[in-house]
Amino acid sequence: MTYLIDRRLQGKNKSAVNRERFLRRYKSQIKDAVGRAIKGRSITDVENGEKVSIPVKDVSEPSFGHAHGGVWEVVNPGNQEYLKGDQINRPKGGGGSGRGKAGNSDQLTEDDFIFELSREEFMNYFFEDLELPHMVKTQLTATTDFKHQRAGYNMSGTPSNIHVLRSLRGALGRRIAVGGNSRKRVIEAERELEALLLEGVPLQDQRVVDLKKLIHHLHTRLLAIPFIDPFDLRYTNRVKVPKPMTQAVMFCIMDVSGSMDETRKDTAKRFFILLYLFLKRVYDKIEVVFIRHHTAAAEVDEEEFFHSRESGGTVVSSALHLLDKVIDERYGAGSYNAYVAQASDGDNWDNDSVLCRQLLVNTIMPKVQYYTYVEITDGPPQNLWEQYSQVPDHHPHFAMQKIVTPADIYPVFRELFKKQPK
């Protein structure tokens, strides 16, 4: 019998440790399940947990056994069907993982392994591969956050900060320095004693007795040197230094003109809800500015942005003018990473669409890290799309995507905010 003993340390809550280990082991299968699950739920329910199923073949555990090795001839009592040399057909497969057509009654199958992902776990997997592209770190004069950084060693401190290796190294150096002369004298005395004994000097001779006493005295002095002394102790020194903060602002611009019917507005709101959840969960230092526009643009709060029913004509440039004004007044001087997400049906005055392209190319794009435009339409591209499609020729940090149905929201969102290769 062979016993395998797991001696890895575990915390008090062993169940939580085992669960984290399980999630790490089947990470790819869980991510696929989360991707499938999000397609079948509304964006407003995205924060709920989810039941995840993993094929039983992926969670099967290996078994250990002793192989016979070599060629064995075995007599199986009760065999009335096979003779020596007969070939046995491969057993027929069953229903497999509990799905498909029913098998024979003597075929055993296993259901998929199903477990519940908590809300936190689901959101971690949901946003794991996403980020705000092209973000840079900016040092802010008003930053009060600090990080602890190692800065050499101290001769005093708490026991938990003792640096064992440095302390032992200092103790070794001290012992070598303090006992250097005594060791040298011991070696000389031992050589002198050995020379006298080789000459045949008797042990009772006064010179031999004196050398033995001296050698014993020197050894006693060497043994009296402590292995480690409080003077040798060194403590890790840590100082607080200002921490460079990555601070960002996201501008959400939504078209609420008359051409945006309720279905398109609902799709735009779902996209911004998903974006808002992503920003608040992944980033600590981020501000969100909401801008609604029809013929005129206005900065609004979260409640009005998602629930106001105000509508009108369409002048997209009004939102871009307001965007430029807010960046200059509140988020300029290079202290913020500015991002913009715009959603519209693309219906705009022809002359105004040209003005929007000029504003983006000449004024706005040099001030932002990344600009995304989402056109919500089930027909051909509108005039705003045609003008915006020229912007990437001047600024590569401009991205465009089209949403036709609510099912396109999640794939478009992941495409716009997927992690960039380093």
Side-chain angles (χ1 to χ4, degrees), residues 372-384:
T372 63
Y373 171 66
V374 176
E375 187 162 296
I376 305 172
T377 178
D378 54 359
Q382 301 297 312
N383 52 12
L384 190 61

Side-chain angles (χ1 to χ4, degrees), residues 156-300:
S156 60
T158 60
S160 61
N161 288 333
I162 290 179
H163 195 282
V164 177
L165 183 60
R166 187 76 179 206
S167 300
L168 293 178
R169 188 184 301 171
L172 177 60
R174 175 187 53 79
R175 294 198 305 272
I176 293 175
V178 173
N181 291 332
S182 296
R183 290 190 187 87
K184 184 177 179 181
R185 292 178 61 189
V186 165
I187 293 174
E188 293 175 352
E190 288 177 345
R191 288 178 179 175
E192 186 176 349
L193 176 61
E194 184 180 1
L196 291 176
L197 294 177
L198 290 175
E199 292 177 0
V201 177
L203 297 178
Q204 295 78 13
D205 189 275
Q206 189 62 37
R207 291 176 297 173
V208 175
V209 174
D210 291 342
L211 285 174
K212 287 185 175 182
K213 289 182 179 181
L214 177 61
I215 292 172
H216 176 74
H217 175 69
L218 293 174
H219 277 299
T220 302
R221 290 188 59 182
L222 290 175
L223 292 175
I225 299 175
F227 178 79
I228 192 167
D229 190 87
F231 175 80
D232 304 322
L233 297 180
R234 294 295 181 268
Y235 300 84
T236 301
N237 184 34
R238 289 182 171 86
V239 296
K240 292 200 305 183
V241 297
K243 181 180 179 181
M245 294 299 300
T246 301
Q247 191 155 288
V249 56
M250 171 64 75
F251 293 90
C252 298
I253 302 176
M254 182 167 61
D255 183 356
V256 293
S257 61
S259 60
M260 289 279 289
D261 56 25
E262 287 302 318
T263 302
R264 293 176 180 176
K265 287 181 182 178
D266 181 67
T267 301
K269 291 176 183 178
R270 289 178 177 227
F271 174 81
F272 284 117
I273 289 174
L274 188 59
L275 175 61
Y276 185 73
L277 290 174
F278 162 64
L279 296 176
K280 289 301 183 182
R281 181 171 187 84
V282 178
Y283 296 96
D284 296 327
K285 299 289 185 179
I286 192 165
E287 297 184 24
V288 183
V289 178
F290 299 101
I291 297 177
R292 292 165 54 97
H293 76 88
H294 37 80
T295 53
E299 181 181 349
V300 297

Side-chain angles (χ1 to χ4, degrees), residues 25-88:
R25 180 173 181 180
Y26 301 104
K27 184 176 181 179
S28 59
Q29 292 95 328
I30 295 174
K31 287 180 63 177
D32 292 340
V34 169
R36 294 191 301 268
I38 198 61
K39 295 178 181 178
R41 61 167 61 181
S42 64
I43 300 301
T44 55
D45 296 332
V46 74
E47 285 190 293
N48 297 332
E50 179 67 26
K51 285 187 177 180
V52 175
S53 62
I54 299 179
V56 67
K57 63 181 180 63
D58 292 336
V59 295
S60 59
E61 295 289 343
S63 58
F64 295 86
H66 295 284
H68 290 294
V71 179
W72 288 67
E73 292 187 1
V74 181
V75 177
N76 295 317
N79 174 34
Q80 299 178 359
E81 182 177 357
Y82 300 106
L83 298 176
K84 182 176 180 179
D86 287 351
Q87 294 183 352
I88 303 175

